[in-house]
PDB file of all heavy atoms in Angstrom:
ATOM      1  N   ILE J 269      19.433 -50.978-125.558  1.00 97.00           N
ATOM      2  CA  ILE J 269      18.408 -52.030-125.686  1.00 97.00           C
ATOM      3  C   ILE J 269      17.894 -52.057-127.125  1.00 97.00           C
ATOM      4  O   ILE J 269      17.637 -53.118-127.687  1.00 97.00           O
ATOM      5  CB  ILE J 269      17.258 -51.775-124.691  1.00 97.00           C
ATOM      6  CG1 ILE J 269      17.818 -51.937-123.257  1.00 97.00           C
ATOM      7  CG2 ILE J 269      16.084 -52.675-124.936  1.00 97.00           C
ATOM      8  CD1 ILE J 269      16.852 -51.547-122.162  1.00 97.00           C
ATOM      9  N   GLU J 544      21.482 -50.634-120.503  1.00 96.00           N
ATOM     10  CA  GLU J 544      20.160 -50.683-119.858  1.00 96.00           C
ATOM     11  C   GLU J 544      19.267 -49.545-120.315  1.00 96.00           C
ATOM     12  O   GLU J 544      18.296 -49.198-119.661  1.00 96.00           O
ATOM     13  CB  GLU J 544      20.367 -50.589-118.330  1.00 96.00           C
ATOM     14  CG  GLU J 544      21.017 -51.827-117.758  1.00 96.00           C
ATOM     15  CD  GLU J 544      21.510 -51.645-116.340  1.00 96.00           C
ATOM     16  OE1 GLU J 544      21.422 -50.509-115.807  1.00 96.00           O
ATOM     17  OE2 GLU J 544      21.977 -52.647-115.720  1.00 96.00           O
ATOM     18  N   GLU J 546      17.111 -47.305-123.486  1.00 97.00           N
ATOM     19  CA  GLU J 546      16.454 -47.386-124.796  1.00 97.00           C
ATOM     20  C   GLU J 546      16.414 -45.966-125.374  1.00 97.00           C
ATOM     21  O   GLU J 546      15.750 -45.071-124.810  1.00 97.00           O
ATOM     22  CB  GLU J 546      15.025 -47.922-124.579  1.00 97.00           C
ATOM     23  CG  GLU J 546      14.371 -48.396-125.823  1.00 97.00           C
ATOM     24  CD  GLU J 546      12.925 -48.748-125.551  1.00 97.00           C
ATOM     25  OE1 GLU J 546      12.626 -49.327-124.463  1.00 97.00           O
ATOM     26  OE2 GLU J 546      12.084 -48.425-126.410  1.00 97.00           O
ATOM     27  N   ARG J 549      13.039 -43.819-126.153  1.00 95.00           N
ATOM     28  CA  ARG J 549      12.411 -43.241-124.977  1.00 95.00           C
ATOM     29  C   ARG J 549      13.175 -41.978-124.519  1.00 95.00           C
ATOM     30  O   ARG J 549      12.578 -40.963-124.176  1.00 95.00           O
ATOM     31  CB  ARG J 549      12.457 -44.241-123.824  1.00 95.00           C
ATOM     32  CG  ARG J 549      11.199 -45.015-123.683  1.00 95.00           C
ATOM     33  CD  ARG J 549      11.525 -46.101-122.752  1.00 95.00           C
ATOM     34  NE  ARG J 549      11.035 -45.746-121.423  1.00 95.00           N
ATOM     35  CZ  ARG J 549      10.615 -46.683-120.571  1.00 95.00           C
ATOM     36  NH1 ARG J 549      10.643 -47.919-120.903  1.00 95.00           N
ATOM     37  NH2 ARG J 549      10.160 -46.302-119.372  1.00 95.00           N
ATOM     38  N   PRO J 577      13.298 -47.893-115.010  1.00 92.00           N
ATOM     39  CA  PRO J 577      13.940 -49.002-115.733  1.00 92.00           C
ATOM     40  C   PRO J 577      13.420 -49.105-117.157  1.00 92.00           C
ATOM     41  O   PRO J 577      12.260 -48.834-117.409  1.00 92.00           O
ATOM     42  CB  PRO J 577      13.535 -50.228-114.912  1.00 92.00           C
ATOM     43  CG  PRO J 577      12.610 -49.752-113.840  1.00 92.00           C
ATOM     44  CD  PRO J 577      12.346 -48.294-113.980  1.00 92.00           C
ATOM     45  N   HIS J 578      14.304 -49.427-118.090  1.00 92.00           N
ATOM     46  CA  HIS J 578      13.885 -49.682-119.498  1.00 92.00           C
ATOM     47  C   HIS J 578      13.911 -51.177-119.760  1.00 92.00           C
ATOM     48  O   HIS J 578      14.697 -51.875-119.136  1.00 92.00           O
ATOM     49  CB  HIS J 578      14.875 -48.991-120.471  1.00 92.00           C
ATOM     50  CG  HIS J 578      14.888 -47.496-120.370  1.00 92.00           C
ATOM     51  ND1 HIS J 578      15.636 -46.703-121.213  1.00 92.00           N
ATOM     52  CD2 HIS J 578      14.260 -46.618-119.548  1.00 92.00           C
ATOM     53  CE1 HIS J 578      15.488 -45.424-120.880  1.00 92.00           C
ATOM     54  NE2 HIS J 578      14.643 -45.376-119.867  1.00 92.00           N
ATOM     55  N   HIS J 579      13.067 -51.638-120.658  1.00 81.00           N
ATOM     56  CA  HIS J 579      13.095 -53.089-120.941  1.00 81.00           C
ATOM     57  C   HIS J 579      13.222 -53.339-122.422  1.00 81.00           C
ATOM     58  O   HIS J 579      12.843 -52.556-123.228  1.00 81.00           O
ATOM     59  CB  HIS J 579      11.811 -53.747-120.441  1.00 81.00           C
ATOM     60  CG  HIS J 579      11.692 -53.584-118.943  1.00 81.00           C
ATOM     61  ND1 HIS J 579      12.518 -54.241-118.051  1.00 81.00           N
ATOM     62  CD2 HIS J 579      10.875 -52.763-118.205  1.00 81.00           C
ATOM     63  CE1 HIS J 579      12.156 -53.863-116.818  1.00 81.00           C
ATOM     64  NE2 HIS J 579      11.205 -52.973-116.881  1.00 81.00           N
TER      65      HIS J 579
END
Side-chain angles (χ1 to χ4, degrees):
I269 294 172
E544 291 167 355
E546 195 187 322
R549 264 168 99 149
H578 295 184
H579 298 290

